[in-house]
């Protein structure tokens, strides 16, 4: 089926429609919130002049997600996910208002930093809750299409939100040095509030979990979280197919992260003047635009092949496509090679991710699904953060090196070989009680 046909079929489900509106508004707000962050962390010539400094920026952004995830993620299996979406976006609205207040009061930089990181951390929690709740509103045979459509629409919403935030900063008159940041944050806060309103249209039990914890004992839950997360890891490992899917996703994300860091550096040094932050950001925006084409193509083609190609085989194909993209990037440090590779590699990453999401959702029972996607988020963030660290160690200041680009292509092939040799049949896991 085509993307249009898949969306038409999925849109008939009221639950899917309500979840989609909530996600689009939430991720639109994310894009608005992040408008200034990329410039400050990665394109300011006074703060991000080398791979090492960019790696520090990635670590600061992603480390809190990884640290927060293990402690709040298991709550996805305990609390009503609809309430998580409602309250989480309200929390982000309050945090956005707090940041505006801090900016206007010229508060210390560390306070702005801490509040912004907390806001981004809540975002990861919300995305995990929406992903874990998707199987509750979509039939099992439509999960592949839903995993292609919904994240892609969310990515588009984030891009549109970023564009709206950027346009608003030019339209609104500048009355002070803080006007641009305040304008983008106001737009983000409005979107977060609208997402909370959209979440109220989802019934309280519609997104699961099937057996939520009705009475909340914070102390008892915190004592049980570590044990539950370890139990989730044991379950996925014993179940086999979700564990292997997470492994290949992590490897793919690590390789993609290396190219992402290289693209930032190349945008600064190859596509633009390193001392011109605006030109560098514009060049990187073009790279991201071409990458969005790859993501969109993956969302269209993956569901079309769903009935003819297994999820595991599609992952192998995507790994091969990723290797081809790296070979293209290794040909020359030119704009055409970078932009062509952006389409191919992004297609491979998104196509593989759609298949991985479907495997984890399909082969994980609902009472463990929240923990599964907590581990998913942890693996995702650790892999991306690790790619920044590795990139800081091996990438030149220009971001381009033929041996490194070819080496990444070889790793893609090795990952495909390893994944091809793993078992692709799910294994029953006997239930084991976890202390509450």
């Amino acid at each position: 089926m085509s993307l249009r046909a898949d969306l038409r079929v999925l849109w008939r489900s009221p639950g899917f429609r309500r979840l989609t509106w909530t996600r689009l508004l939430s991720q639109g707000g994310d894009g608005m919130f992040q408008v200034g962050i990329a410039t400050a962390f990665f394109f300011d010539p006074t703060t991000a002049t080398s791979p090492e400094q960019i790696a520090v920026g990635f670590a600061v952004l992603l480390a809190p997600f990884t640290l927060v995830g293990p402690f709040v993620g298991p709550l996805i299996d305990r609390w009503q996910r609809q309430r998580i979406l409602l309250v989480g976006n309200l929390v982000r609205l309050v945090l956005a208002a707090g940041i505006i207040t801090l900016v206007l009061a010229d508060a210390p930089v560390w306070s702005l930093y801490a509040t912004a990181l907390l806001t981004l951390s809540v975002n990861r929690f919300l995305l995990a809750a929406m992903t874990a709740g998707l199987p509750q509103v979509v039939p099992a045979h439509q999960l592949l299409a839903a995993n292609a459509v919904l994240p892609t629409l969310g990515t588009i919403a984030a891009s549109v939100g970023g564009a709206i935030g950027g346009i608003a900063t030019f339209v609104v008159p500048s009355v002070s040095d803080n006007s641009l940041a305040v304008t983008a944050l106001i737009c983000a806060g409005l979107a977060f509030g609208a997402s909370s309103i959209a979440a109220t249209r989802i019934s309280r039990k519609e997104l699961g979990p099937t057996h939520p914890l009705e009475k909340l004992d914070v102390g008892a839950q915190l004592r049980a979280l570590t044990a539950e997360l370890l139990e989730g890891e044991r379950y996925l490992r014993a179940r086999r197919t979700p564990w292997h899917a997470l492994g290949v996703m992590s490897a793919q994300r690590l390789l993609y992260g290396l190219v992402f860091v290289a693209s930032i550096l190349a945008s600064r040094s190859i596509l633009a003047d390193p001392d011109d932050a605006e030109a560098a950001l514009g060049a990187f925006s073009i790279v991201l635009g071409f990458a969005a084409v790859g993501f969109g193509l993956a969302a269209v083609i993956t569901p079309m092949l769903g009935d003819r190609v297994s999820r595991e085989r599609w992952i192998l194909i995507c790994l091969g496509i990723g290797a081809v993209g790296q070979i293209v990037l290794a040909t020359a440090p030119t704009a055409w090679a970078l932009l062509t590779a952006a389409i191919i590699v992004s297609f491979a990453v998104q196509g593989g991710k759609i298949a991985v999401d479907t495997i984890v959702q399909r082969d994980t029972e609902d009472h463990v699904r929240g923990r599964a996607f907590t581990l998913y988020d942890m693996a995702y963030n650790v892999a991306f953060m690790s790619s920044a660290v590795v990139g800081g160690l091996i990438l030149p200041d220009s971001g381009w090196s033929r041996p490194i680009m070819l080496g990444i292509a070889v790793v893609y092939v090795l990952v495909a070989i390893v994944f091809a040799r793993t078992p692709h049949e799910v294994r029953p896991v006997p239930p084991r009680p976890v202390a509450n």
Side-chain angles (χ1 to χ4, degrees):
M1 296 179 69
S2 66
L3 177 64
R4 183 177 179 181
D6 285 329
L7 183 57
R8 186 186 304 116
V9 172
L10 291 166
W11 204 251
R12 296 171 186 165
S13 166
F16 178 81
R17 291 200 303 270
R18 290 189 286 264
L19 182 61
T20 299
W21 283 120
T22 302
R23 180 159 184 162
L24 293 182
L25 290 167
S26 179
Q27 290 198 250
D30 297 337
M32 299 171 192
F33 186 83
Q34 294 172 13
V35 163
I37 295 179
T39 304
F41 277 21
F42 304 130
F43 295 102
D44 186 340
T46 65
T47 59
T49 58
S50 70
E52 293 84 358
Q53 289 168 317
I54 288 178
V56 171
F58 268 105
V60 170
L61 284 175
L62 296 177
F65 300 176
T66 307
L67 295 174
V68 170
F71 294 98
V72 300
L75 297 177
I76 296 171
D77 293 332
R78 292 173 171 264
W79 290 346
Q80 295 289 359
R81 292 163 191 155
Q82 184 267 353
R83 284 294 186 263
I84 293 175
L85 301 184
L86 172 62
V87 176
N89 275 300
L90 287 176
V91 168
R92 293 204 296 168
L93 171 58
V94 172
L95 290 171
I99 296 174
I100 292 173
T101 303
L102 293 172
V103 169
L104 294 176
D106 290 324
V109 174
W110 67 264
S111 62
L112 298 173
Y113 218 39
T115 311
L117 292 173
L118 181 58
T119 307
L120 294 170
S121 298
V122 174
N123 172 49
R124 295 307 303 171
F125 186 32
L126 295 175
L127 289 177
M130 286 186 277
T131 303
L134 185 60
Q136 298 291 329
V137 297
V138 173
H141 67 279
Q142 293 179 351
L143 270 178
L144 178 66
N147 281 317
V149 170
L150 194 54
T152 302
L153 291 178
T155 300
I156 293 172
S159 300
V160 172
I164 292 173
I167 292 171
T169 61
F170 288 103
V171 172
V172 175
S174 178
V175 297
S176 70
D177 293 338
N178 298 326
S179 295
L180 300 184
V182 169
T183 300
L185 288 169
I186 289 174
C187 292
L190 292 173
F192 296 153
S195 183
S196 288
I197 294 173
T200 63
R201 301 186 63 228
I202 303 173
S203 65
R204 183 167 183 169
K205 298 182 180 181
E206 192 169 0
L207 300 180
T210 306
H211 303 290
L213 188 68
E214 296 297 337
K215 293 183 179 181
L216 176 63
D217 183 340
V218 176
Q221 287 196 68
L222 290 177
R223 289 192 295 270
L225 290 183
T226 300
E228 288 201 2
L229 199 59
L230 291 174
E231 174 64 16
E233 183 271 339
R234 182 199 70 84
Y235 173 91
L236 293 178
R237 187 187 293 271
R239 195 76 165 167
R240 295 195 303 195
T241 53
W243 183 256
H244 298 150
L246 289 181
V248 76
M249 181 275 296
S250 301
Q252 208 173 13
R253 203 66 199 175
L254 174 62
L255 298 176
Y256 177 76
L258 284 171
V259 179
F260 191 85
V261 174
S263 297
I264 293 174
L265 293 167
S267 297
R268 289 167 49 88
S269 60
I270 296 175
L271 303 182
D273 182 351
D275 295 325
D276 188 340
E278 184 175 353
L281 180 59
F284 186 62
S285 298
I286 294 174
V287 175
L288 291 180
F290 276 75
V293 173
F295 289 136
L297 288 174
V300 172
I301 294 174
T302 301
M304 292 174 59
L305 300 177
D307 296 333
R308 287 171 283 180
V309 181
S310 69
R311 307 292 85 77
E312 290 78 11
R313 184 176 295 276
W314 182 241
I315 289 174
L316 292 173
I317 292 172
C318 287
L319 289 169
I321 293 173
V324 171
Q326 287 301 137
I327 293 173
V328 171
L329 186 56
T331 56
T334 58
W336 78 264
L338 181 59
L339 297 178
T340 302
I343 296 175
I344 298 173
V345 173
S346 297
F347 175 93
V349 169
Q350 185 68 6
K353 181 183 182 300
I354 292 170
V356 168
D357 287 355
T358 304
I359 290 172
V360 175
Q361 291 171 334
R362 180 195 66 192
D363 295 346
T364 304
E365 297 169 284
D366 184 68
H367 70 280
V368 190
R369 198 170 283 137
R371 279 164 281 176
F373 279 97
T374 296
L375 292 169
Y376 184 114
D377 276 352
M378 289 176 62
Y380 181 101
N381 289 320
V382 168
F384 209 50
M385 187 165 54
S386 299
S387 71
V389 175
V390 174
L393 294 174
I394 67 174
L395 288 173
D397 289 348
S398 68
W400 188 88
S401 165
R402 180 173 285 114
I404 292 175
M405 298 301 114
L406 290 175
I408 294 174
V410 171
V411 177
Y412 266 109
V413 175
L414 294 177
V415 172
I417 293 173
V418 172
F419 184 69
R421 296 173 63 87
T422 61
H424 294 160
E425 296 79 29
V426 68
R427 184 167 59 186
V429 180
R432 191 167 74 178
V434 178
N436 288 323

